[in-house]
Amino acid sequence: MDDKEIEAIKLHVAGATVRHTAPFDDLKPFKNDFELTQDFIDKWVIPFYMNIGQSDNEWINKLTSVKKEITTDIIEKNLGDFNWRTRQTGAFFSAITNQTQFVDIIGTHLLKSEVCYAGGVYCKVFASFNLPKCVDYLNLYLDYYLTKPDLWFDQRDAMEAILYLDKINSTNHFDRHINNWAEFIKNKPYWDKEIKTDNLEKQLTVIETVRQYAC
């Protein structure tokens, strides 16, 4: 196995399962210039990444118990690692600690869509922050990725986030994308056409509960 093949395997494991060219090459993603230690991964990635999306009390209690230890450095290290597990964990940590200074890093990651799975968490985080810039990133994402029906990425998550933000902000961004959404799912017979926010709102309740917890 040559170096090129080894690198391809590494990218696949990290979550770069679909290689694509998007019109966001001018955006420079935030990336670490070092490898995370196994100790860091064992403490700040493995116990969390598979549970993002849970809403039970055990999960909430786990998050509140470690919230005071989640520093800006921990979030940066996670977001800067080229791996879906670390990136989604870093984004989620930024949400529960309400550190909105990471919006541009997360937005760039969303637009470039370099790794799988993480995008849905980015959309959830943007819905929790509810900043104009978050809406801008979601609109940019949908403007492009809804026109790419062969890229089965995080379009539904972004549509859910936009719909939710419309509901609480009395805006109407969702209608801007509804026709493209209908075209996008034509080759996806098992996708539900209707966009609902029930599950998203349940996840946002978790984030808000942990965010309001006094350390």
Side-chain angles (χ1 to χ4, degrees), residues 109-127:
H109 284 342
L110 175 66
L111 292 178
K112 294 184 78 70
S113 291
E114 296 173 311
V115 296
C116 61
Y117 303 123
V121 178
Y122 301 155
C123 295
K124 184 188 309 181
V125 170
F126 280 168

Side-chain angles (χ1 to χ4, degrees), residues 138-184:
L138 289 167
N139 277 325
L140 282 170
Y141 179 87
L142 289 168
D143 282 341
Y144 176 73
Y145 285 100
L146 283 180
T147 67
K148 301 298 177 182
D150 293 332
L151 298 181
W152 299 43
F153 288 178
D154 304 288
Q155 290 91 336
R156 174 178 290 280
D157 298 282
M159 288 289 282
E160 290 174 358
I162 280 289
L163 179 58
Y164 169 79
L165 291 172
D166 274 350
K167 286 165 61 176
I168 65 173
N169 295 329
S170 298
T171 51
N172 196 31
H173 298 284
F174 182 81
D175 284 354
R176 164 176 167 178
H177 306 291
I178 192 63
N179 289 335
N180 281 343
W181 169 254
E183 289 296 318
F184 174 76

